[in-house]
Amino acid sequence: MDAIYNFSAGPAGLPKAVMELAQQELVNWNGMGRSVMEISHRSKEFIEVANTAESNLRELLQVPSNYKILFCQGGARAQFSAIPMNLLGTSTKACYVDGGYWAHSAIAEANKYCDVQVIDAKTEIDGKVAITPAASWSVDADAAFVHYCPNETIDGIEINDLPVTDKPIVADMSSTILSRKIDVSKFGVIYAGAQKNIGPAGITLVIVRDDLLDLASEILPSTLSYKLLDEKDSMYNTPPTYAWYLSGLVFKWLKSIGGVAEIEKRNRNKAKALYAAIDESDFYKNDVHPDNRSLMNVPFQLAKPELDAIFLEQAEAKGLVALKGHRAVGGMRASIYNAMPEEGVAALVAFMHEFEAKHAA
Amino acid sequence: MDAIYNFSAGPAGLPKAVMELAQQELVNWNGMGRSVMEISHRSKEFIEVANTAESNLRELLQVPSNYKILFCQGGARAQFSAIPMNLLGTSTKACYVDGGYWAHSAIAEANKYCDVQVIDAKTEIDGKVAITPAASWSVDADAAFVHYCPNETIDGIEINDLPVTDKPIVADMSSTILSRKIDVSKFGVIYAGAQKNIGPAGITLVIVRDDLLDLASEILPSTLSYKLLDEKDSMYNTPPTYAWYLSGLVFKWLKSIGGVAEIEKRNRNKAKALYAAIDESDFYKNDVHPDNRSLMNVPFQLAKPELDAIFLEQAEAKGLVALKGHRAVGGMRASIYNAMPEEGVAALVAFMHEFEAKHAA
């Protein structure tokens, strides 16, 4: 079979080298005659897997020592509940910046647990979707924290600014974590479902500043308690061991290619090439203002939407798969997470030129 | 490498045929040129995986049509919170039968959400740990449901009786599901972490009677809502797709060998052989009354505990691995879930005889 370039928004493609290694050692890991998924999470061998994954992630993101790294279950959606239940303390209010579908979903869940001050950050500039400047967001004085989602997978929007506030900033980085350098010390909590840049679906990363561990509500389910998960090294209950192992392989791979600085360079190249192909043509378009375009998720539309199905079919025949846009917006979407090589984007751009030449007239 | 027999209590060994198939198709599943973990959960190919897993499970356990099958995240521990938050309705009380470590843990969590009536079901008969008859358990009239754990992995205890009540019965079957025939219609909710008889850690099964879907508390996290998970076919949020796929392979394997009736026969043979080896000797002992001995988890002690380390080392050298007892009770524990072949137990029994012959004097 020819090379497949997988543009899935998530569960997304994982690095080829990781998948090949995983296959090789699936039934006989570490010379033990069984799979890593068939050993106790409390065995010294698995604890080594867990600790190595954590320390490599700490190194990759330069996580300061006063931040805890937790490996959880339930996806970012479970964190939509966990965030207010862990962080409200005696406050009854939180501030949420609304920049798209996922921020909106987080707000809907937070409403169960507190008064939510919603800052609508969406605007329009020159007919394009854009985000208002963070300096214009006025955070309520009694909000316990400020939540935002820096990359919206469905809308293809990025928020570049950090909220301007002395409250803890909470960020849903599911679709952007590890894609570029970040300054973790600016955040109270960073969380991310794994299935874009970390590993397979079923494991969720939480990075939390240690002064925020004592604010939990009494009705917080134990499996969502940051304090308890920290005390038990993310093994309060049986963790998703295979997903943790695969995430660890992804972290090793990322280190091996040069870490976050190198992947950021590649990611910027990929996004630049793809947006250029869209902008240089009247045949393709993207609705997001250049300042807020996502590096990770590139939605685009054909000038002739009646050709969508043919575009997708012919792309797939060339090994360019999972390009169909989200059902809420239609058209196409190319998700170009860390595991997508630059050649994959080059192949997509070449196909787009070819398709346009055939159908633009 | 010689055959390995994996007696891990969980994450436990999976059927050899399943692991070999999983390895074969890890990087190129279904002719798609990528892994099943690299495709969208909303793709028609994955929905087929999900639906087939559900229908095979429904067939294996003969789940009546008025019961919903949900694939969740968070393990049985997340269900410890989810159960009261989903089922209390307007009641403030629930009844929990305490038969061992896991029932006890469920009670500790339930205390956050309601008044818990605890029925201590442990007793002693002829110097052995036993369970009182269910007829002696008096359930409070205002309890919303009755919870129990029919198999205690750490204590090696089984509760054979069903609670005698007109309240919905909720059972934590993490370590016993699919090991034998059950009558699902007797239960309100059955739940089980996957990592013993279903699949890898990271997916949790819930089987819930459909009249119990409308009793949830307002503070129930959405990711734990039975009603929402049912409405969204367990895809309210991104499910742990690879664990779901592997669970589906296990269900197919179980069907292929003759289903639950056949595995129950094998499981009874395995347990009989192992308990016989223990009982026929003064060198080994098990503290549980024969009426309440677990078919799945067989803890046993040496008459000379100073030999524990040597026993474990020599067993491991013969490929009999993960026999160390839980840290709370010490000694040895052989977990003999569905994936353990009868030959594995025969090999353990042969080793026990050999070890006794060498060290009994």
Side-chain angles (χ1 to χ4, degrees), chain B residues 2-118:
Chain B
D2 288 342
I4 290 282
Y5 294 114
N6 182 359
F7 294 92
S8 176
L14 293 167
K16 197 162 178 281
V18 164
M19 294 307 292
E20 285 170 354
L21 177 57
Q23 181 175 42
Q24 195 184 307
E25 59 193 24
L26 186 71
V27 303
N28 182 7
W29 176 77
N30 197 27
M32 293 175 78
R34 59 207 141 158
S35 178
V36 65
M37 76 178 83
E38 297 176 300
I39 66 171
S40 170
H41 53 298
R42 305 207 185 275
S43 64
K44 68 177 189 308
E45 293 87 355
F46 190 78
I47 289 172
E48 169 77 18
V49 167
N51 288 347
T52 305
E54 184 191 322
S55 67
N56 282 336
L57 180 68
R58 197 171 279 279
E59 184 184 331
L60 283 163
L61 286 176
Q62 296 182 276
V63 179
S65 61
N66 62 324
Y67 283 74
K68 306 295 190 176
I69 296 180
L70 311 175
F71 292 87
C72 315
Q73 292 185 65
R77 283 234 188 234
Q79 294 304 316
F80 290 175
S81 328
I83 289 290
M85 284 197 275
N86 272 287
L87 301 182
L88 278 168
T90 56
S91 176
T92 57
K93 190 174 254 189
C95 173
Y96 279 65
V97 179
D98 188 355
Y101 182 93
W102 290 108
H104 210 76
S105 303
I107 290 165
E109 188 73 10
N111 272 319
K112 287 185 184 173
Y113 305 102
C114 58
D115 292 333
V116 180
Q117 178 209 356
V118 178

Side-chain angles (χ1 to χ4, degrees), chain A residues 26 37 200 242, chain B residues 22 26 35-37 200 240-247:
Chain A
L26 186 71
M37 74 178 83
Y242 193 64
Chain B
L26 186 71
S35 178
V36 65
M37 76 178 83
T241 51
Y242 194 64
W244 199 336
Y245 150 84
L246 281 174
S247 304

